[in-house]
Amino acid sequence: AQSVTQPDIHITVSEGASLELRCNYSYGATPYLFWYVQSPGQGLQLLLKYFSGDTLVQGIKGFEAEFKRSQSSFNLRKPSVHWSDAAEYFCAVGNKAGNNRKLIWGLGTSLAVNP
Amino acid sequence: NAGVTQTPKFQVLKTGQSMTLQCAQDMNHNSMYWYRQDPGMGLRLIYYSASEGTTDKGEVPNGYNVSRLNKREFSLRLESAAPSQTSVYFCASSTGVGYTFGSGTRLTVV
């Protein structure tokens, strides 16, 4: 079955510390992979995406993610967290082939940042 | 500004009332989606429209109907609201390279 797992429901880090949010997926076809961020009371905003090529992708706000096919993972990282990064983060996977554009979503990881 | 516009932003309904959530995008995207977001359950797809003139059920379509009025607009209708439909509703559009989301409608059914 197709699924996305974000093992950490909630993470707290100190401002300036590094961050890694985990995402594992189970998907039969070659995947598109996405990370989205949702600030409180807002819609979701695309942070970065992986389609093909370089497995380390750069996104907005200083985030990056690495696609590891052997581990079925697409972890999100940031070297130094800012207080404004406190938000909900969602990993998603989609079908690289065909016309079906539906994404499969993880349940999200809530990030809190201590001053 | 280009993007996805949802109306209304907030709504309170009584059980049994009906309402339509509106969504419009100005990015010329073919695909549009309606999701609901509930605590601890992530995003669940209600209905989607892969292109103008087509609609399909998602994971949780019961109690909802949709209309893809034209390429820009995709509305979600609750015919007889139930407390279980209390949620935050998001509309999104896509060309297949990532979604653009609206800012959401917070719906409470009492």
Side-chain angles (χ1 to χ4, degrees):
Chain A
Q2 300 170 344
S3 65
V4 175
T5 301
Q6 294 181 243
D8 304 304
I9 297 173
H10 185 86
I11 286 181
T12 300
V13 299
S14 297
E15 191 168 17
S18 63
L19 172 69
E20 182 170 30
L21 301 182
R22 296 181 291 164
C23 174
N24 296 99
Y25 67 91
S26 173
Y27 202 76
T30 303
Y32 287 159
L33 294 157
F34 305 85
W35 275 100
Y36 285 82
V37 60
Q38 183 181 29
S39 298
Q42 302 296 315
L44 282 76
Q45 180 184 21
L46 180 65
L47 275 177
L48 48 78
K49 58 184 182 288
Y50 172 79
F51 287 172
S52 64
D54 192 347
T55 56
L56 184 64
V57 294
Q58 303 297 320
I60 62 172
K61 305 185 180 187
F63 285 91
E64 66 178 25
E66 186 171 11
F67 170 53
K68 293 185 177 180
R69 184 185 301 275
S70 62
Q71 298 177 20
S72 297
S73 69
F74 188 56
N75 294 348
L76 182 71
R77 301 194 294 249
K78 186 170 184 177
S80 177
V81 170
H82 188 263
W83 63 266
S84 61
D85 294 324
E88 189 91 15
Y89 291 81
F90 292 92
C91 180
V93 61
N95 193 346
K96 197 169 187 179
N99 295 320
N100 187 335
R101 308 297 190 189
K102 291 187 294 182
L103 296 184
I104 298 170
W105 296 86
L107 295 182
T109 297
S110 177
L111 174 65
V113 180
N114 287 333
Chain B
N1 291 336
V4 178
T5 302
Q6 288 183 240
T7 56
K9 293 189 181 303
F10 301 93
Q11 184 71 49
V12 178
L13 289 178
K14 294 182 179 179
T15 297
Q17 287 185 318
S18 63
M19 78 162 295
T20 299
L21 281 64
Q22 306 287 352
C23 176
Q25 53 93 7
D26 57 5
M27 297 170 288
N28 203 37
H29 287 172
N30 286 323
S31 301
M32 297 186 73
Y33 309 81
W34 276 105
Y35 283 91
R36 60 178 289 173
Q37 184 178 37
D38 303 289
M41 304 190 74
L43 288 165
R44 292 184 291 171
L45 182 65
I46 304 171
Y47 271 94
Y48 69 101
S49 171
S51 61
E52 185 179 356
T54 69
T55 61
D56 287 286
K57 296 178 180 179
E59 303 170 63
V60 289
N62 291 345
Y64 305 95
N65 285 300
V66 291
S67 295
R68 184 74 182 266
L69 304 172
N70 46 56
K71 193 170 186 178
R72 291 187 63 249
E73 298 172 287
F74 188 40
S75 62
L76 177 72
R77 183 161 178 83
L78 287 70
E79 291 290 352
S80 179
S84 61
Q85 294 178 305
T86 293
S87 187
V88 181
Y89 291 85
F90 288 100
C91 177
S93 68
S94 171
T95 60
V97 292
Y99 289 10
T100 300
F101 282 86
S103 58
T105 296
R106 186 173 296 274
L107 175 67
T108 301
V109 183
V110 298

